[in-house]
Amino acid sequence: MRFLVLMAEEDHFARWDAADEAERHAVFECFQAFDAAVKERGTIVAGEALASPAEARTLGPGPTRAVTDGPYAETVEQTGGFYLVDLPSHEAALEAAALLPPAYTVEVRPVLDVVFD
């Protein structure tokens, strides 16, 4: 069963830029623990760090699909990255996600199997 793991943190990009080497090392250790936990039970299908929301472009709804600068939602928390993992259960995904950096809010959402005929 696949899950999307979204990671967000208040002022994520400014905090990362201001972090010293020890703080960044602590974050990387959390990512390594998450990677190990997922690999024990399943697979990391994909995972990437995202660029700043200032670099996002959003297409609006409707036939003209207007393009605006920035993310689709204005929030204080900024999505900094994601994983797509394949694990046996939602509980296993939550257990692994709990290993991610504690400053992050982490959303774990099942991915639907959509079949096009």
Side-chain angles (χ1 to χ4, degrees):
M1 185 172 195
R2 292 181 301 153
F3 298 91
L4 182 63
V5 179
L6 293 168
M7 299 166 285
E9 176 184 26
E10 186 172 335
D11 298 323
H12 170 75
F13 295 94
R15 291 173 62 136
W16 182 255
D17 290 344
D20 62 24
E21 189 171 328
E23 292 168 323
R24 290 180 179 198
H25 183 73
V27 169
F28 287 131
E29 285 183 338
C30 292
F31 285 119
Q32 290 170 339
F34 173 81
D35 289 357
V38 171
K39 289 175 182 172
E40 285 177 13
R41 301 175 178 123
T43 305
I44 295 174
V45 178
E48 296 290 345
L50 299 177
S52 166
E55 296 184 44
R57 304 293 179 270
T58 302
L59 284 77
T64 62
R65 306 292 286 173
V67 178
T68 57
D69 291 340
Y72 72 94
E74 296 293 330
T75 64
V76 174
E77 290 187 327
Q78 300 166 334
T79 303
F82 71 92
Y83 282 99
L84 180 62
V85 297
D86 192 349
L87 290 166
S89 68
H90 210 153
E91 290 72 26
L94 290 170
E95 288 173 13
L99 299 170
L100 290 167
Y104 295 176
T105 298
V106 180
E107 179 178 337
V108 178
R109 189 182 307 187
V111 175
L112 298 176
D113 286 326
V114 178
V115 178
F116 296 98
D117 291 327

